[in-house]
Amino acid sequence: QVQLQESGPGLVKPSETLVLTCTVSGGSISSYYWSWIRQPPGKGLEWIGYMYYTGSTTYNPSLKSRVTISVDTSKNQFSLKLSSVTAADTAVYYCARHVAAVDSGDYLDPWGQGTLVTVSS
Amino acid sequence: AIQMTQSPSSLSASVGDRVTITCRASQGIRNDLGWYQQKPGRAPKLLIYAASRLQSGVPSRFSGSGSGTDFTLTISSLQPEDFATYYCLQDYNFPWTFGQGTKVEFK
């Protein structure tokens, strides 16, 4: 079955750019949408944005000016870039497959295990 | 953005109890709602989508209902592995928004 795995640095300095990669295994990245979600320590979940394998994207307006999600179909990977980070961006970042079904609604499944990114100098 | 309000924020229950969690949307969202279970240190797991459709492999003691603005997740007989935090997620429009979560604790 499809599995997702996030990777990237666990520590990023304030004002720098956070870059994470999600590697998809057990299936092709094509023909699906792919999302990023984050969760600050001890808090709830925030949807960051999603992209289609063709490269089209939709972002949360709260982060839109700082977020870029991109895809590398040759590597079966998609990536998240978040610029000008502050301590408020410290969170566990999850990637997930976004299933969009015409007659049964959308949902996120499966999810990666998540990776903690701490913003600190 | 659509606001999703879950209640209660936490509850205490015993094995075998019937548990009900509600989620209210700030505007109508048809049946575009999912429920996710999260255990400590783990990623969320999809339980229910389209308000009432049980994801494959999820035990039948979980059920969802509702449409428009009011939704319910019911666990018919709480099992030890069900102690977790539950989130609703509206997928009616962007940005998708989650409820704040309901933590189900052991009484």
Side-chain angles (χ1 to χ4, degrees):
Chain A
Q1 74 258 20
V2 172
Q3 293 184 309
L4 290 77
Q5 177 69 59
E6 304 88 351
S7 59
L11 181 64
V12 180
K13 289 182 169 56
S15 80
E16 294 189 344
T17 297
L18 176 162
V19 181
L20 296 175
T21 297
C22 182
T23 300
V24 179
S25 60
S28 173
I29 202 168
S30 300
S31 301
Y32 280 101
Y33 295 82
W34 304 90
S35 279
W36 286 97
I37 307 97
R38 70 179 183 177
Q39 184 173 37
K43 296 188 178 180
L45 297 157
E46 179 181 32
W47 177 80
I48 297 171
Y50 86 107
M51 53 143 281
Y52 195 43
Y53 76 100
T54 56
S56 65
T57 54
T58 299
Y59 302 132
N60 192 323
S62 69
L63 299 168
K64 187 175 181 178
S65 63
R66 299 193 292 130
V67 171
T68 302
I69 298 176
S70 59
V71 62
D72 187 337
T73 54
S74 68
K75 295 182 179 179
N76 233 32
Q77 294 176 335
F78 62 106
S79 298
L80 170 70
K81 291 184 179 180
L82 182 65
S83 64
S84 304
V85 297
T86 69
D89 296 310
T90 294
V92 175
Y93 286 77
Y94 296 100
C95 58
R97 184 176 63 177
H98 170 152
V99 178
V102 173
D103 61 348
S104 63
D106 295 10
Y107 52 86
L108 299 171
D109 183 72
W111 295 53
Q113 65 183 30
T115 186
L116 174 64
V117 178
T118 301
V119 178
S120 175
S121 56
Chain B
I2 296 175
Q3 303 298 315
M4 305 302 295
T5 303
Q6 277 184 243
S7 61
S9 55
S10 66
L11 64 89
S12 298
S14 301
V15 172
D17 285 352
R18 182 181 181 89
V19 170
T20 299
I21 299 168
T22 63
C23 189
R24 174 164 290 177
S26 59
Q27 68 180 72
I29 58 171
R30 301 182 308 195
N31 68 337
D32 294 334
L33 182 114
W35 289 98
Y36 296 78
Q37 175 194 66
Q38 186 178 35
K39 296 181 180 179
R42 304 290 297 273
K45 171 190 170 185
L46 175 68
L47 300 175
I48 302 281
Y49 64 98
S52 61
R53 299 196 182 200
L54 193 68
Q55 172 66 345
S56 176
V58 174
S60 59
R61 62 181 180 273
F62 291 94
S63 64
S65 64
S67 182
T69 60
D70 295 306
F71 301 86
T72 299
L73 173 70
T74 299
I75 309 172
S76 60
S77 178
L78 196 68
Q79 298 302 300
E81 60 269 29
D82 300 336
F83 291 95
T85 299
Y86 294 84
Y87 293 93
C88 61
L89 169 64
Q90 68 81 16
D91 58 272
Y92 177 73
N93 67 11
F94 295 111
W96 285 11
T97 44
F98 291 88
Q100 79 276 19
T102 296
K103 187 173 184 179
V104 177
E105 299 175 299
F106 181 72
K107 182 185 287 184

